[in-house]
Amino acid sequence: MNDQVTADLIFPSISASIASAVGGEIYNYAGFFAQYYEQKPESNQYNTLCEYTFTESSQQMDYSYRTLFAGALEDAKQVLKRLQTLLTASPLPY
């Protein structure tokens, strides 16, 4: 990550990553698993979810978790690292 990027510019990326993953695919998949909703019989978009026919190798939910762990979590680690560096350089008075 670029050293010139400040934490206030990284936070929107963290928020967007979490919102897109949790409010997108994870929300849809959880709704099917909890049977809150079902698709129309003529629809085919979520057939693998409705029939529970996906496997570990189908990587059905990998994108959401990659977004959370490789995106938001890594950005949050960068913010914490920058904060620790800042506090080490100039500690807060007690």
Side-chain angles (χ1 to χ4, degrees):
M1 184 157 288
N2 189 341
D3 290 334
Q4 296 177 351
V5 177
T6 59
D8 62 322
L9 296 175
I10 299 173
F11 269 109
S13 172
I14 296 170
S15 299
S17 294
I18 293 171
S20 70
V22 174
E25 287 182 339
I26 292 176
Y27 174 82
N28 285 338
Y29 298 158
F32 279 108
F33 294 147
Q35 297 180 349
Y36 284 131
Y37 47 81
E38 179 66 69
Q39 68 180 355
K40 292 191 267 183
E42 62 271 10
S43 299
N44 293 315
Q45 183 178 5
Y46 297 108
N47 280 354
T48 57
L49 288 176
C50 294
E51 298 166 2
Y52 305 111
T53 56
F54 62 93
T55 63
E56 185 178 335
S57 64
S58 69
Q59 299 178 356
Q60 191 76 23
M61 296 173 78
D62 280 358
Y63 176 75
S64 296
Y65 289 99
R66 275 195 310 258
T67 300
L68 289 173
F69 288 100
L73 185 61
E74 289 301 315
D75 287 347
K77 285 180 184 177
Q78 284 294 321
V79 170
L80 288 174
K81 182 180 170 186
R82 289 165 194 261
L83 179 62
Q84 288 171 343
T85 303
L86 181 67
L87 290 175
T88 303
S90 57
L92 296 174
Y94 290 102

